[in-house]
């Protein structure tokens, strides 16, 4: 019984902490791409428009995760959607009044988080990867890129963590059974 009352909740917290650290590191790695392109602007090698277009193209095609469907997006500080690989319908749109099914304003929360702390985590409801009909809780890490006024981010789906915990719980039940 103590396994289910103590160990499983600890495992869930550790798994969530690990996933949050992973998305932080992944988002920071996307920063290096933006920094490199901004450096090329400063050297006069490319125009700001060329740099932004290259960044959008490269980040749009970045994928990770077991299915290769996890992704990054970019919005600006207004917030307008700059790029989203699965929600191209939002690109160029003002997301100030965009609400998730729970009534949260996720893109305004992202801007507020970046303004207050330069980066951080935001909780909201969003479509499951490339499936717009499946909306689930998500935690995203967002970080500002001040030279361009951009926010880039990626997230983890709480349902994926719950599935991993369910598998751990099942393995314990098999061991005990």
């Amino acid at each position: 019984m103590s396994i289910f009352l103590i160990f499983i909740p600890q495992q869930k917290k550790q798994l969530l902490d690990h996933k949050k650290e992973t998305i932080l590191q992944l988002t920071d790695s996307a920063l290096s791409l933006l920094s490199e392109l901004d450096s090329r602007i400063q050297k006069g090698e490319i125009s700001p428009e060329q740099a932004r277009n290259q960044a959008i193209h490269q980040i749009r095609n970045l994928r990770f995760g077991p299915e290769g469907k996890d992704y990054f997006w970019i919005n600006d500080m207004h917030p307008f959607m700059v790029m989203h690989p699965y929600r191209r319908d939002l690109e160029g749109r003002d997301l100030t009044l965009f609400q998730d099914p729970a009534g949260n304003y996720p893109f305004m929360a992202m801007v507020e988080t970046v303004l207050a702390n330069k980066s951080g985590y935001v909780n909201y409801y969003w479509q499951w990867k490339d499936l717009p009909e499946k909306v689930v809780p998500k935690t995203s890490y967002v970080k500002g890129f001040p030279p361009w006024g951009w926010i880039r981010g990626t997230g983890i789906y709480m349902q994926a963590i719950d599935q991993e915990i369910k598998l751990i719980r099942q393995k314990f039940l098999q061991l005990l059974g």
Side-chain angles (χ1 to χ4, degrees):
M1 189 66 162
S2 63
I3 289 173
F4 293 100
L5 295 175
I6 297 168
F7 182 74
I8 298 293
Q10 284 179 333
Q11 283 297 111
K12 185 173 183 174
K13 183 187 178 323
Q14 288 177 351
L15 182 60
L16 180 58
D17 290 346
H18 173 72
K19 299 272 186 185
K20 287 171 94 173
E21 180 64 26
T22 299
I23 61 173
L24 181 151
Q25 291 175 0
L26 287 168
T27 302
D28 282 349
S29 71
L31 171 67
S32 64
L33 168 68
L34 298 179
S35 295
E36 172 61 28
L37 289 167
D38 191 55
S39 173
R40 292 184 62 204
I41 293 170
Q42 304 310 316
K43 293 175 187 172
E45 296 174 2
I46 57 176
S47 71
E49 183 180 356
Q50 289 172 316
R52 285 174 178 80
N53 287 338
Q54 283 183 28
I56 289 167
H57 175 74
Q58 290 178 22
I59 293 173
R60 181 185 305 282
N61 294 308
L62 287 176
R63 295 289 185 283
F64 61 95
E67 301 170 311
K69 291 186 176 185
D70 292 296
Y71 59 91
F72 296 91
W73 78 90
I74 304 165
N75 56 272
D76 68 14
M77 296 296 289
H78 176 77
F80 280 94
M81 180 63 73
V82 174
M83 183 283 301
H84 194 293
Y86 296 136
R87 292 295 308 267
R88 290 184 181 217
D89 61 307
L90 295 178
E91 291 181 7
R93 282 190 41 202
D94 181 348
L95 301 174
T96 304
L97 300 178
F98 184 94
Q99 284 185 286
D100 71 9
N104 301 310
Y105 294 88
F107 296 100
M108 287 304 299
M110 292 171 193
V111 169
E112 291 165 3
T113 298
V114 168
L115 285 173
N117 304 306
K118 298 184 178 148
S119 65
Y121 295 94
V122 177
N123 299 314
Y124 57 102
Y125 287 80
W126 193 255
Q127 74 180 48
W128 177 267
K129 302 176 185 183
D130 59 345
L131 299 174
E133 66 280 359
K134 183 178 178 181
V135 177
V136 296
K138 185 174 185 178
T139 296
S140 290
Y141 179 76
V142 293
K143 187 167 187 174
F145 186 66
W148 297 2
W150 281 6
I151 297 171
R152 74 238 174 268
T154 191
I156 50 177
Y157 297 93
M158 301 315 292
Q159 184 174 357
I161 290 173
D162 291 342
Q163 288 171 340
E164 288 187 46
I165 293 301
K166 182 179 178 183
L167 290 174
I168 291 169
R169 188 178 296 124
Q170 288 173 343
K171 286 180 184 178
F172 273 116
L173 287 173
Q174 287 173 350
L175 290 172
L176 296 173

